[in-house]
Amino acid sequence: QQIALGTNHMLALTNEGELYACGNNEYNECGMESNEEFIKKPKKLKKFTSNDGNEQIIQIVAGSDYSMALTSKGDVYGWGDKEIFKKNNMIDEEWKTPTRIPLEEDISQLFGSFSHVVAVTSKNKLIAQGKSYFDDDFVPVDLNDDLDADETIVSMQGNLLSTFIITNK
């Protein structure tokens, strides 16, 4: 269903909602509590389910040394190098396996780049966390000042330190 490529690791999401990872695991970016620094063959991660069993992964992203998953309920999970969230104290525990990131709003879309993440909330608000071309600081940024109220995000693509957004206008 989906593949996400990090710098030296990859994620694969099957049609059945199973998540597999392989590649570099030095920062636990493959999401497994393992001493293996490199995982040669794809291994299955824990299945994301809520108490009622209806929550499934709908999107995956991979960055330089981190990975993230968005669930059908708008929750975001991350694992690997948590540096992009560390300064804001969003995450204070190890990111060895998928860990829910506490956010104030549900997320509807994620984009992961080398060293930053851009998210679209369920209210069509854009937020970013990590490093950018213009700022070396790891702080969250509200990007909504540049969008009209009736404007929606169609696509997001990026590179090392920049993200480009295409809207319906």
Side-chain angles (χ1 to χ4, degrees), residues 93-111:
E93 58 199 66
E94 289 299 316
W95 250 22
K96 291 183 178 182
T97 58
T99 303
R100 187 177 176 279
I101 299 172
L103 298 169
E104 293 179 15
E105 294 184 49
D106 290 341
I107 302 300
S108 61
Q109 187 177 2
L110 277 179
F111 173 77

Side-chain angles (χ1 to χ4, degrees), residues 25-85:
N25 195 44
E26 182 180 354
Y27 296 98
N28 298 298
E29 55 264 59
C30 289
M32 298 165 218
E33 256 186 278
S34 171
N35 292 332
E36 291 179 82
E37 285 193 18
F38 192 86
I39 297 172
K40 294 179 184 178
K41 293 183 179 181
K43 290 186 179 180
K44 184 175 162 182
L45 277 76
K46 75 169 192 158
K47 190 169 183 168
F48 287 75
T49 55
S50 62
N51 291 336
D52 59 9
N54 292 326
E55 189 172 30
Q56 296 209 353
I57 299 171
I58 59 170
Q59 188 179 4
I60 52 175
V61 298
S64 59
D65 299 317
Y66 71 90
S67 301
M68 300 180 91
L70 174 63
T71 70
S72 56
K73 294 194 175 182
D75 291 331
V76 177
Y77 290 80
W79 57 96
D81 186 0
K82 64 180 181 175
E83 191 64 34
I84 61 171
F85 295 99

